[in-house]
């Protein structure tokens, strides 16, 4: 197992370990028994290319670091390694389909295909990667039942009212598409499956039951509050006669419990201490008042204790009920969406790739490894897993039986490469704790059990790739000091150790680099202000680098896609050319946009918006001296024939009659 921080040459290490197996094997067909798993097609292609490239260089007699390391670690001399490289390369290129380096999704798909009939799936089902159109269709089908399905109509109406109460607007379709993505989340899917069989009446019945339990708790608090206030009033005691009015105030809160901010109800501090000491009034209080309070003291203290005991026994339950009641309607809606989506998938004979890990976990996990190998027609003895920190819990649990079976044999192995710090992003269900436990040399906190510390019977070896070959020295030094600094703010001991011990990357001969941090108080900014300030800040940084580096060497990274669009638009407006997924779209080209607007105007002459846009472009593109507003106003209301005839004065020669619609 390798702990490989960013830039630490993990691809080089993976390729080296892969080649070691090939060179040390008794047969040149050994690559057929190796499964190397990556998480992107690009990474799989890169690793395949690097293996073939290194085999080619070695066979041609090229001297490099890879060859030197292979000689040292395999004990085979250079002449024999070169001869074996030629043989392996020849066999590999003739059996390229057996070169098992691919993504974990591809391997999972292969398993699903092999067991399609056992799983009750059509053997020719299609794998759908783009789930958004299908989720949108599921939402559309559910909403289309409004007015015909009484129960569903009531449910969606309640959901819309909840959205309005939360200032989210009455149009729920967009929000439903957003929450429907939970259906594809590995961690939530198991729980959502339990709701699949629940009907709307069952949700409503459960909600009514919760309302009754909630009301029962509220009524008890209200009853105690009313009773306490009645005792005080009957005795003719003014609230201000009590010490700091604490006890009457408590009863007032209990009386209005249903509308009370629940975190303001506390049975601790000054009032509790005074109750324990039976100090309900000041020493300077009038004797007559003291006698009145003393006469009802036992009753009031008893009510306080009754309220406190009831609070301790029921308040957590009450808070939970409130949370569940807020969620019950969205859950019911989500259940209906899930049913609709399931129906759509069956009708169209599709499966989402996001479902595969769950399908395997539900069925294949109970099958013997030998049976699985037999069905997929291959048997792997060596497993290489790259970016291990991104392996979800389900994915890893699905691989454990196959790996265990391989490790029980001779000449088998498992290589895991990853960086636990990267799993903070929880990409596709990855959990930091999983890789931390696997890569730890000892059980360092209660989160690591014997099973997730090492699920296999053989001892493990952990190696740290501590040299960063990618970055310049200043960047590496900054990262080391930064992670050291933030480690003390982490709560878990395992996370602290991770950031303290994993922040000592060594530099190479690549000296230089520069890091600067600028902070913007984003939390104090609304969305409109943020959209103005952040792009302007980026623009100023670019200007400050003028003359020092070329603009094509600058990359701008953002957390969200929308932020990237805002910055791209702002920089384009400032005359800075950029390349992004947005700017590469045809619609982002102003000339293409002009043609679209022009054709739209010809097809629908009443569309003044399209006409305005193409006139605006002409004014900018042709640098017409007439005021922009006057130019557009002159032509906006004219018919197409007159418009194009008069535009000839600006050398715009265009005949709309040649287009037939």
């Amino acid at each position: 197992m390798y702990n490989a921080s960013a830039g630490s040459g993990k691809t080089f290490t993976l390729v080296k370990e892969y080649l070691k197996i090939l060179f040390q094997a008794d047969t040149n067909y050994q690559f057929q028994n190796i499964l190397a798993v990556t998480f992107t097609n690009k990474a799989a292609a890169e690793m395949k290319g690097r293996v073939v490239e290194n085999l080619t260089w070695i066979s041609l007699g090229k001297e490099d670091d890879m060859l030197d390391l292979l000689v040292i670690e395999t004990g085979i001399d250079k002449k024999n390694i070169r001869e074996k490289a030629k043989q392996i390369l020849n066999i590999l290129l003739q059996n390229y389909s057996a070169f098992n380096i691919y993504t974990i999704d591809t391997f999972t798909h292969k398993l699903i295909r092999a067991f399609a009939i056992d799983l009750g799936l059509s053997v020719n089902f299609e794998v759908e990667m783009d789930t958004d159109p299908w989720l949108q269709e599921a939402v559309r089908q559910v909403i289309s039942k409004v007015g015909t399905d009484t129960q569903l109509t009531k449910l969606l109406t309640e959901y819309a009212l909840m959205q309005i109460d939360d200032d989210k607007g009455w149009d729920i379709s967009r929000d439903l598409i957003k929450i429907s993505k939970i259906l594809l989340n590995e961690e939530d899917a198991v729980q959502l499956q339990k709701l699949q069989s629940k009907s709307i009446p069952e949700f409503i019945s459960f909600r009514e039951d919760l309302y009754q339990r909630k009301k029962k708790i509220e009524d008890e608090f209200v009853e105690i509050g009313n009773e306490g206030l009645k005792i005080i009033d009957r005795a003719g005691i003014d609230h201000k006669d009590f010490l700091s009015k604490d006890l009457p105030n408590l009863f007032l809160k209990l009386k209005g419990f249903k509308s009370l901010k629940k975190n303001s109800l506390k049975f601790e501090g000054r009032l509790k201490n005074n109750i324990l000491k039976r100090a309900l009034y000041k020493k300077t209080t009038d004797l007559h008042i003291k006698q009145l309070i003393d006469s009802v003291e036992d009753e009031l203290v008893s009510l306080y204790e009754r309220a406190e005991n009831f609070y301790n026994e029921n308040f957590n339950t009450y808070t939970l009920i409130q949370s569940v009641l807020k969620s019950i309607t969205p859950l019911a809606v989500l259940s209906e969406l899930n049913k609709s989506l399931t129906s759509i998938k069956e009708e169209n004979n599709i499966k989402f790739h996001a479902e595969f890990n769950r399908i395997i976990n539900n069925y294949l996990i109970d099958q013997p490894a030998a049976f699985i190998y037999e069905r997929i027609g291959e048997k792997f003895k060596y497993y290489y897993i790259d970016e291990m920190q991104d392996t979800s819990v389900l994915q890893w649990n699905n691989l454990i039986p196959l790996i265990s079976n391989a490790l029980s044999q001779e000449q088998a192995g498992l290589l895991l490469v990853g960086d636990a710090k990267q799993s903070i992003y929880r990409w596709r269900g990855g959990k930091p704790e999983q890789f931390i436990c696997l890569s730890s040399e000892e059980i360092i906190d209660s989160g690591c059990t014997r099973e997730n510390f090492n699920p296999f019977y053989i001892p493990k070896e952990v190696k740290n790739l501590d040299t960063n070959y990618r970055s310049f020295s200043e960047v590496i030094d900054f990262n080391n000091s930064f992670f050291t600094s933030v480690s003390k703010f982490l709560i878990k001991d395992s996370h602290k150790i991770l950031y303290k011990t994993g922040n000592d990357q060594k530099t190479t001969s690549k000296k230089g680099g520069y890091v600067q941090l600028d902070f913007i108080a984003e939390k104090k900014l609304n969305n409109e202000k943020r959209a103005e300030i952040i792009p302007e800040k980026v623009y100023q940084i670019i200007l400050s680098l003028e003359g020092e580096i070329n603009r094509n060497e600058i990359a701008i990274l953002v957390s969200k896609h929308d932020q990237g669009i805002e910055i791209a638009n702002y920089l384009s407006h400032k005359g800075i050319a950029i390349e992004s997924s947005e700017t590469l779209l045809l619609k982002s080209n102003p000339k293409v946009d002009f043609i679209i607007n022009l054709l739209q105007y010809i097809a629908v002459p009443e569309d003044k918006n399209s006409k305005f846009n193409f006139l605006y472009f002409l004014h900018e593109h042709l640098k017409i001296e007439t005021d922009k507003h006057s130019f557009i106003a002159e032509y906006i209301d004219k018919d197409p024939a007159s418009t194009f005839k008069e535009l000839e004065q600006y050398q715009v020669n265009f005949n709309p009659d040649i287009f037939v619609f």
Side-chain angles (χ1 to χ4, degrees):
M1 176 177 291
Y2 287 95
N3 277 320
S5 298
S8 55
K10 63 182 182 62
T11 305
F12 178 91
T13 304
L14 273 168
V15 172
K16 182 197 70 175
E17 295 296 324
Y18 192 99
L19 292 174
K20 277 173 60 179
I21 297 296
L22 297 182
F23 288 130
Q24 291 175 324
D26 296 330
T27 170
N28 295 329
Y29 292 94
Q30 189 67 57
F31 66 87
Q32 294 177 320
N33 299 125
I34 305 174
L35 171 63
V37 173
T38 65
F39 280 83
T40 64
N41 289 316
K42 182 180 178 182
E46 180 186 2
M47 188 174 173
K48 275 189 174 183
R50 292 280 286 272
V51 170
V52 173
E53 184 179 52
N54 278 279
L55 284 172
T56 303
W57 287 347
I58 293 171
S59 66
L60 293 174
K62 180 174 179 174
E63 299 279 340
D64 61 7
D65 293 341
M66 179 68 79
L67 178 61
D68 293 338
L69 285 171
L70 287 170
V71 169
I72 294 171
E73 296 186 21
T74 63
I76 305 173
D77 61 58
K78 290 184 179 181
K79 181 181 178 181
N80 286 326
I81 277 188
R82 288 193 178 109
E83 286 300 316
K84 199 154 190 176
K86 291 177 183 179
Q87 297 170 14
I88 294 170
L89 189 61
N90 182 51
I91 296 170
L92 180 63
L93 295 178
Q94 293 182 50
N95 299 272
Y96 201 74
S97 61
F99 195 8
N100 297 305
I101 300 177
Y102 37 62
T103 67
I104 195 167
D105 286 334
T106 303
F107 179 64
T108 304
H109 180 212
K110 193 172 184 179
L111 287 177
I112 295 289
R113 285 286 185 195
F115 285 85
I117 296 176
D118 305 73
L119 296 170
L121 303 174
S122 168
V123 292
N124 63 340
F125 71 86
E126 294 183 19
V127 181
E128 187 58 65
M129 302 294 290
D130 185 8
T131 58
D132 285 352
W134 303 102
L135 293 175
Q136 291 168 10
E137 176 60 18
V139 170
R140 189 195 66 76
Q141 287 190 10
V142 169
I143 292 179
S144 69
K145 296 178 184 178
V146 171
T148 56
D149 187 322
T150 305
Q151 292 177 335
L152 183 59
T153 300
K154 183 179 178 182
L155 182 70
L156 291 177
T157 302
E158 290 176 357
Y159 186 75
L161 292 173
M162 287 178 62
Q163 295 296 97
I164 293 171
D165 289 340
D166 291 337
D167 295 325
K168 293 182 179 179
W170 61 269
D171 185 1
I172 62 173
S173 57
R174 187 175 300 176
D175 194 66
L176 288 179
I177 292 172
K178 184 177 179 181
I179 69 168
S180 66
K181 294 183 178 180
I182 296 174
L183 298 172
L184 306 177
N185 189 312
E186 271 187 16
E187 294 183 4
D188 298 317
V190 176
Q191 304 304 324
L192 289 170
Q193 276 185 323
K194 298 176 182 178
L195 300 177
Q196 183 78 8
S197 60
K198 302 298 180 183
S199 64
I200 294 177
E202 287 178 297
F203 277 106
I204 294 174
S205 175
F206 179 53
R207 184 178 61 187
E208 291 303 317
D209 180 57
L210 290 177
Y211 271 128
Q212 291 301 319
R213 294 175 64 182
K214 175 173 173 282
K215 184 177 182 301
K216 187 175 180 180
I217 294 173
E218 290 173 342
D219 289 346
E220 174 67 10
F221 280 123
V222 171
E223 181 182 332
I224 295 173
N226 283 329
E227 193 171 337
L229 292 172
K230 284 179 182 178
I231 292 172
I232 293 172
D233 291 341
R234 272 201 312 265
I237 307 169
D238 196 301
H239 290 187
K240 64 183 180 183
D241 291 332
F242 287 89
L243 193 60
S244 302
K245 298 196 297 185
D246 285 343
L247 191 56
N249 284 342
L250 173 66
F251 292 133
L252 286 170
K253 285 181 179 181
L254 294 174
K255 179 182 178 181
F257 183 80
K258 293 179 182 180
S259 58
L260 179 71
K261 288 184 178 180
K262 303 305 182 288
N263 58 0
S264 66
L265 185 63
K266 296 178 181 178
F267 292 86
E268 57 188 24
R270 184 176 63 193
L271 176 59
K272 184 176 179 65
N273 291 332
N274 289 336
I275 289 292
L276 292 174
K277 294 185 294 185
R278 295 294 182 111
L280 303 185
Y281 48 78
K282 295 179 182 178
K283 293 180 180 179
T284 57
T285 299
D286 184 77
L287 179 61
H288 174 66
I289 300 298
K290 287 181 179 180
Q291 291 173 341
L292 290 176
I293 295 176
D294 287 341
S295 67
V296 295
E297 181 184 86
D298 289 342
E299 291 180 90
L300 296 178
V301 170
S302 177
L303 279 176
Y304 173 88
E305 291 173 347
R306 175 182 162 189
E308 182 181 22
N309 291 334
F310 190 76
Y311 176 91
N312 292 335
E313 293 171 3
N314 296 278
F315 193 73
N316 287 339
T317 302
Y318 181 82
T319 304
L320 178 61
I321 290 173
Q322 281 188 307
S323 299
V324 174
L325 282 172
K326 287 182 180 179
S327 305
I328 197 76
T329 300
L331 281 174
V333 172
L334 199 58
S335 179
E336 290 302 307
L337 286 172
N338 197 16
K339 292 172 185 175
S340 177
L341 187 62
T342 300
S343 175
I344 290 171
K345 289 188 294 183
E346 290 174 354
E347 290 173 5
N348 292 276
N349 193 27
I350 60 172
K351 284 289 177 185
F352 297 150
H353 83 285
E355 300 177 277
F356 287 173
N357 293 314
R358 188 167 72 250
I359 293 173
I360 289 178
N361 195 261
N362 289 343
Y363 178 78
L364 300 187
I365 197 72
D366 296 324
Q367 301 297 330
F371 178 53
I372 296 176
Y373 282 133
E374 180 185 337
R375 291 292 289 272
I376 63 176
E378 290 176 284
K379 186 170 185 178
F380 302 111
K381 297 176 67 177
Y382 300 90
Y383 286 83
Y384 286 54
I385 302 180
D386 190 15
E387 305 293 0
M388 179 60 198
Q389 77 280 349
D390 292 329
T391 308
S392 72
V393 174
L394 269 182
Q395 287 173 332
W396 180 235
N397 287 339
N398 291 342
L399 287 171
I400 286 176
L402 295 177
I403 296 172
S404 294
N405 183 75
L407 295 179
S408 65
Q409 306 167 57
E410 294 183 357
Q411 294 184 335
L414 166 66
L415 177 66
L416 308 177
V417 180
D419 177 13
K421 291 196 290 297
Q422 293 182 35
S423 61
I424 60 172
Y425 304 110
R426 311 230 169 205
W427 186 69
R428 293 183 62 178
K431 288 187 176 181
E433 294 76 16
Q434 177 171 267
F435 189 65
I436 290 172
C437 292
L438 284 169
S439 60
S440 298
E441 298 183 67
E442 58 180 336
I443 299 180
I444 52 179
D445 71 21
S446 56
C448 294
T449 63
R450 181 60 56 185
E451 288 72 23
N452 60 27
F453 172 70
N454 184 359
F456 311 109
Y457 70 94
I458 61 172
K460 64 183 179 183
E461 182 182 2
V462 180
K463 296 181 181 179
N464 291 307
L465 300 181
D466 54 5
T467 301
N468 188 319
Y469 296 96
R470 181 188 303 163
S471 305
F472 283 83
S473 57
E474 288 294 334
V475 176
I476 297 170
D477 291 339
F478 168 78
N479 286 340
N480 288 340
S481 59
F482 175 77
F483 287 128
T484 300
S485 177
V486 300
S487 64
K488 59 178 177 286
F489 297 107
L490 301 175
I491 298 174
K492 285 191 173 183
D493 289 339
S494 58
H495 292 180
K496 288 182 178 179
I497 293 172
L498 170 68
Y499 278 82
K500 283 180 180 178
T501 58
N503 58 5
D504 51 358
Q505 285 190 316
K506 298 174 183 177
T507 61
T508 61
S509 58
K510 297 171 68 174
K511 303 300 179 184
Y514 179 75
V515 178
Q516 174 180 317
L517 298 179
D518 292 316
F519 295 94
I520 299 173
E522 284 197 46
K523 290 185 178 179
K524 298 180 180 179
L525 302 176
N526 57 38
N527 290 335
E528 292 181 4
K529 287 289 185 183
R530 189 178 296 117
E532 295 173 4
I533 293 176
I534 295 177
E536 171 63 21
K537 184 67 177 177
V538 173
Y539 174 65
Q540 293 299 331
I541 292 173
I542 292 173
L543 292 183
S544 69
L545 297 173
E546 202 71 39
E548 296 184 27
I549 58 174
N550 297 323
R551 285 184 177 176
N552 63 1
E553 297 177 299
I554 299 174
I556 301 169
L557 304 180
V558 294
S559 298
K560 298 179 181 178
H561 184 66
D562 292 345
Q563 295 172 344
I565 295 174
E566 290 170 358
I567 293 173
N569 290 339
Y570 186 86
L571 295 180
S572 296
H573 180 70
K574 290 291 187 178
I576 295 180
I578 61 170
E579 285 188 9
S580 69
S581 58
E582 292 295 318
T583 59
L584 292 175
L585 295 175
L586 283 175
K587 69 178 183 179
S588 299
N589 187 305
K591 294 179 181 179
V592 173
D593 198 39
F594 161 72
I595 294 172
I596 293 172
N597 282 304
L598 179 61
L599 295 176
Q600 175 67 16
Y601 170 63
I602 295 171
V604 187
E606 298 81 15
D607 186 356
K608 291 189 176 181
N609 186 55
S610 296
K611 187 172 186 180
F612 175 91
N613 288 332
F614 90 73
L615 288 171
Y616 187 98
F617 173 84
L618 285 176
H619 187 278
E620 292 282 316
H621 185 68
L622 300 176
K623 296 181 171 57
I624 296 172
E625 295 181 0
T626 306
D627 174 69
K628 186 183 296 180
H629 176 78
S630 301
F631 172 77
I632 295 174
E634 181 181 353
Y635 294 100
I636 194 71
D637 292 322
K638 292 184 177 180
D639 61 82
S642 300
T643 298
F644 293 113
K645 180 66 178 175
E646 295 185 25
L647 283 174
E648 289 179 1
Q649 62 179 305
Y650 300 108
Q651 286 72 53
V652 177
N653 298 305
F654 181 75
N655 182 8
D657 295 334
I658 64 174
F659 291 92
V660 179
F661 293 92

